Amino acid sequence: MRKIKNTRILMSFGIVGLAVSGFASASCCGEGGGVEEIISDQRARQISRQISDNITRRIVSDIDASFAGPMVKKLGGASADGNSLMPDSVWSSFSWSRISDDANLGSKFDVDIYQTTSGIDKRIGDFYFGATLTYAGTVSDIYPASVGDVNTYGSVHSVGITPYAAYVFNKNFFLSAMSGYTYSNNNSRNALAAIPESESDAYQTEVDMNGLHVMEQWFVKGKVGIRYQHGHNKVDPSFVGGGIERQNSDSWTYLVDSEIGYAFKNGLRTYTGVLYEYNNPSKNQNLADGVFYYSAGFDYSVNDKLSFGTKVQTDLTNEDIDLTTVALTARLALE
């Protein structure tokens, strides 16, 4: 089963790369779309992960001052002022993700996703309201197995907007939710010809229940959540005489995330954690059912306004691809 699944992935990528006719498309793409489906899915997931991580870190800094070091007082003064129209904080994250073939079936592919997400938020009492703007650039290369075949390379540009909200129940629990839209445009080529133009729309919604427990300078964080994603892809191969092809896909992801860390008295916080995502896609999407991810990172508060962080995450159990992400984050309090 695994060999069949990965063969379909490589065949589907070859269709996109070589711009062959509808016979190949009909024979292996099905409803999902193979590697393009995987790339689009991982890009949307990473957007949600970045936003969710920043929501969590923003709120736990308000809940417990030990996360911001001894120089930093507990936030919440101006943040609770509903009469102010100014946002309480701004943040920005940049990440690089590397996706590569893990099937070892001959042909290889490498994909790099460069993503930046910036957000603003406002606290009113126990509620948080915010919005983010995301840009992601995806660069892909395919290395064919046969001598004489041409390498295929391409880029995908994506922009998205995601409003979010959160509600704090007490110092140990809070609920967060986000719902966003991402538009992507594909520009791919090989040495012989351009690839049929394609564009896609992705709608993602995620709801998480978050927990925090602080034991002196040790802390444990966790969340359980659900993510829904709907994708629509349109391919226009009109320059080779084909008609417009449309593909729709839906998936539900159930996730459990946990972290344990230590907050030093100088404002440095280190942590490590494990994320599990179980994916329940529509038929023939070729997505892994369940994947464990390992992560490690640190946050550092420069003062009571500015903090920086970095995080590295890699998959542990995905049999089809290798995925590694490095993220850098900066947060600035305005109140």
Side-chain angles (χ1 to χ4, degrees):
M1 291 296 294
R2 178 173 178 235
K3 182 176 181 180
I4 295 174
K5 179 178 179 182
N6 287 297
T7 303
R8 293 182 63 197
I9 291 175
L10 293 173
M11 290 173 64
S12 179
F13 214 157
I15 292 167
V16 177
L18 300 178
V20 286
S21 63
F23 166 77
S25 180
S27 65
C28 66
C29 279
E31 185 182 354
V35 167
E36 283 207 340
E37 185 82 30
I38 291 175
I39 296 171
S40 176
D41 174 75
Q42 291 295 339
R43 185 167 50 236
R45 287 179 188 231
Q46 188 59 21
I47 291 173
S48 295
R49 290 172 189 148
Q50 273 193 350
I51 299 172
S52 181
D53 281 351
N54 279 279
I55 292 174
T56 301
R57 279 159 175 72
R58 163 74 166 108
I59 295 176
V60 297
S61 294
D62 278 14
I63 292 177
D64 195 289
S66 63
F67 282 89
M71 296 185 300
V72 183
K73 58 186 178 181
K74 182 178 284 190
L75 303 177
S79 300
D81 182 8
N83 296 322
S84 174
L85 298 179
M86 290 293 294
D88 295 329
S89 69
V90 296
W91 56 267
S92 184
S93 290
F94 173 80
S95 69
W96 166 76
S97 298
R98 178 76 165 182
I99 305 175
S100 57
D101 175 37
D102 196 28
N104 196 25
L105 295 178
S107 296
K108 295 291 184 180
F109 59 85
D110 291 311
V111 178
D112 295 290
I113 302 176
Y114 303 92
Q115 178 179 310
T116 179
T117 301
S118 298
I120 60 173
D121 63 54
K122 175 71 176 177
R123 179 185 176 187
I124 303 176
D126 292 326
F127 288 91
Y128 291 78
F129 301 94
T132 71
L133 183 65
T134 299
Y135 168 77
T138 305
V139 181
S140 59
D141 289 286
I142 312 167
Y143 310 99
S146 301
V147 177
D149 288 347
V150 293
N151 288 2
T152 298
Y153 57 93
S155 61
V156 177
H157 301 279
S158 307
V159 292
I161 184 169
T162 304
Y164 62 86
Y167 177 74
V168 178
F169 295 99
N170 52 48
K171 66 179 183 179
N172 297 115
F173 296 100
F174 61 94
L175 182 71
S176 60
M178 66 189 78
S179 185
Y181 164 77
T182 302
Y183 169 81
S184 301
N185 181 268
N186 179 31
N187 298 292
S188 298
R189 300 185 65 86
N190 59 37
L192 300 179
I195 310 305
E197 181 181 355
S198 66
E199 57 184 16
S200 63
D201 304 285
Y203 305 86
Q204 59 270 355
T205 298
E206 181 174 330
V207 179
D208 301 309
M209 175 59 74
N210 304 264
L212 168 69
H213 181 60
V214 179
M215 302 161 287
E216 295 183 350
Q217 290 174 258
W218 289 94
F219 61 88
V220 177
K221 294 191 296 182
K223 73 174 65 172
V224 292
I226 184 171
R227 181 189 306 137
Y228 169 73
Q229 181 178 330
H230 172 75
H232 173 259
N233 187 62
K234 182 179 74 172
V235 180
D236 185 4
S238 56
F239 70 90
V240 292
I244 294 178
E245 300 176 3
R246 297 181 182 272
Q247 299 169 345
N248 290 282
S249 60
D250 297 272
S251 66
W252 292 89
T253 300
Y254 309 94
L255 60 94
V256 179
D257 193 8
S258 61
E259 287 182 3
I260 183 170
Y262 186 84
F264 294 89
K265 294 184 180 298
N266 63 356
L268 178 67
R269 298 167 303 286
T270 62
Y271 60 87
T272 185
V274 176
L275 166 68
Y276 177 73
E277 293 186 349
Y278 178 80
N279 189 62
N280 183 22
S282 62
K283 188 178 180 181
N284 297 328
Q285 275 189 261
N286 298 319
L287 303 179
D289 294 332
V291 180
F292 280 95
Y293 299 88
Y294 171 76
S295 62
F298 69 87
D299 291 311
Y300 177 69
S301 296
V302 179
N303 51 43
D304 62 347
K305 301 290 186 181
L306 181 63
S307 62
F308 296 96
T310 186
K311 181 178 182 179
V312 179
Q313 186 175 65
T314 186
D315 73 276
L316 296 176
T317 59
N318 196 326
E319 296 181 351
D320 302 318
I321 63 172
D322 286 325
L323 172 64
T324 301
T325 297
V326 179
L328 304 173
T329 303
R331 293 180 294 277
L332 177 65
L334 301 177
E335 72 272 18

